[in-house]
Amino acid sequence: MIVQRVVLNSRPGKNGNPVAENFRMEEICLTDNINEGQVQVRTLYLSVDPYMRCRMNEDTGTDYITPWQLSQVVDGGGIGIIEESKHTNLTKGDFVTSFYWPWQTKVILDGNNLEKIGHLLGCSRVVGICGTHEKCVLLTSELGFDAAINYKKENVAEQLRESCPAGVDVYFDNVGGNISDTVISQMNENSHIILCGQISQYNKDVPYPPPLSPAIEAIQKERNITRERFLVLNYKDKFEPGILQLSQWFKEGKLKIKETVINGLENMGAAFQSMMTGGNIGKQIVCISEEISL
């Protein structure tokens, strides 16, 4: 059968900004036959995420993710529905997900690498930092944040002192750079930095995680602030109970979900470029196939 896929067309360079043209869509012939233990899956949704910027380089700078290869299919988080199965625990109609899902309309996957889908933790104040007024309003009016700071329009240091007069105890760091330096400078003794991402640094040729400046590193040491990398792949054993807990919170109205959805495999590159420049609100995903009936 003929399927469409997205391959890496070119690299932006370690210090370059990624563009949609770094990706290319093409057609290939996918075999109609699957082997024992495999499944044929139709792709429903694909995810684009900041960490993928590292995979566009020849060297990702990490030991837990590999670089994408030129003219080879790109992969990442995905969800699909099984159309044919030769796996004992997976059947036609099952929804499955994988962290290494090829950017294709249909794929043949090893069933053993798939998973079936299936103020909450006591923070006294939750403050978000984002780049538009629209996002700030969303955080405070719908998502339960106590305050939101627009780093493009406001003085982050002043607003953070006003929003967190007792200092910061936990910082979930997805950005790095000057914003993180500002937050760390206002963190309390024995506080914690959860280092999830550094999107402000991904278009620069720097090691990961990027080192702190001497002044900020001194603050970290003086105040005994932990700074630990959060790698989702280290918690595979918690995926199922985590999804169940998040689903329960969602059903109870305690958790809100926001997504920016673009339609079509041909728009994967545009979706990635938009996400890297803050064009999304919530999770950026691409809908490949809306039809889920078999």
Side-chain angles (χ1 to χ4, degrees):
M1 76 183 79
I2 301 298
V3 302
Q4 295 177 316
R5 71 175 187 175
V6 173
V7 301
L8 185 65
N9 188 50
S10 60
R11 301 188 191 277
K14 287 190 174 182
N15 295 306
N17 294 319
V19 294
E21 290 74 22
N22 292 133
F23 302 92
R24 181 180 77 249
M25 194 168 75
E26 61 184 26
E27 291 186 343
I28 62 166
C29 183
L30 187 70
T31 178
D32 292 320
N33 300 316
I34 61 175
N35 299 321
E36 291 299 322
Q38 292 183 325
V39 294
Q40 178 186 297
V41 189
R42 177 157 43 86
T43 305
L44 298 178
Y45 294 95
L46 294 172
S47 173
V48 292
D49 301 281
Y51 83 91
M52 293 176 170
R53 174 61 184 85
C54 302
R55 302 191 70 187
M56 299 181 78
N57 299 330
E58 292 184 13
D59 180 3
T60 64
T62 69
D63 56 2
Y64 59 90
I65 54 173
T66 58
W68 291 327
Q69 300 301 313
L70 290 173
S71 298
Q72 297 299 310
V73 67
V74 176
D75 66 338
I79 295 173
I81 186 170
I82 294 178
E83 295 187 325
E84 183 180 354
S85 175
K86 288 189 177 181
H87 191 279
T88 55
N89 297 326
L90 299 170
T91 61
K92 182 178 179 179
D94 281 345
F95 292 95
V96 290
T97 182
S98 171
F99 191 76
Y100 302 102
W101 197 289
W103 288 10
Q104 292 183 191
T105 50
K106 292 188 179 185
V107 293
I108 293 175
L109 299 171
D110 183 345
N112 293 326
N113 294 329
L114 299 173
E115 296 286 344
K116 284 192 181 182
I117 294 178
H119 285 305
L120 298 174
L121 299 179
C123 295
S124 59
R125 285 184 64 76
V126 179
V127 178
I129 302 175
C130 53
T132 68
H133 175 70
E134 181 184 7
K135 291 179 180 180
C136 286
V137 171
L138 177 68
L139 291 179
T140 55
S141 65
E142 294 189 40
L143 301 185
F145 282 63
D146 297 289
I149 301 169
N150 184 341
Y151 72 88
K152 293 183 179 179
K153 299 291 186 180
E154 301 175 274
N155 185 306
V156 176
E158 291 180 1
Q159 292 298 314
L160 190 61
R161 277 192 291 270
E162 182 177 323
S163 300
C164 303
V168 176
D169 293 310
V170 178
Y171 175 40
F172 194 89
D173 187 2
N174 259 325
V175 61
N178 293 333
I179 291 176
S180 291
D181 289 351
T182 300
V183 175
I184 295 170
S185 68
Q186 297 189 34
M187 295 186 73
N188 295 322
E189 288 189 9
N190 302 315
S191 54
H192 305 285
I193 302 168
I194 303 167
L195 185 57
C196 181
Q198 300 278 277
I199 192 171
S200 71
Q201 307 300 301
Y202 287 163
N203 292 334
K204 302 176 182 178
D205 185 9
V206 296
Y208 188 85
L212 298 173
S213 67
I216 298 301
E217 186 176 15
I219 291 174
Q220 180 196 0
K221 291 180 179 179
E222 290 168 3
R223 299 179 189 173
N224 194 35
I225 302 171
T226 64
R227 185 176 185 243
E228 298 181 355
R229 297 169 70 177
F230 175 75
L231 305 179
V232 68
L233 295 179
N234 289 346
Y235 299 91
K236 288 183 178 180
D237 60 323
K238 300 184 185 297
F239 282 6
E240 185 173 351
I243 290 174
L244 291 174
Q245 178 65 81
L246 293 170
S247 299
Q248 184 63 34
W249 283 339
F250 176 70
K251 291 176 183 178
E252 294 172 354
K254 296 178 180 178
L255 184 69
K256 300 291 182 66
I257 296 175
K258 292 296 177 182
E259 299 168 335
T260 297
V261 183
I262 293 180
N263 293 316
L265 185 71
E266 68 276 10
N267 291 315
M268 291 297 299
F272 183 83
Q273 181 179 0
S274 176
M275 177 274 302
M276 287 295 296
T277 54
N280 56 303
I281 295 179
K283 184 74 184 75
Q284 176 73 66
I285 59 177
V286 179
C287 177
I288 308 302
S289 172
E290 292 184 299
E291 177 59 53
I292 61 175
S293 61
L294 294 175

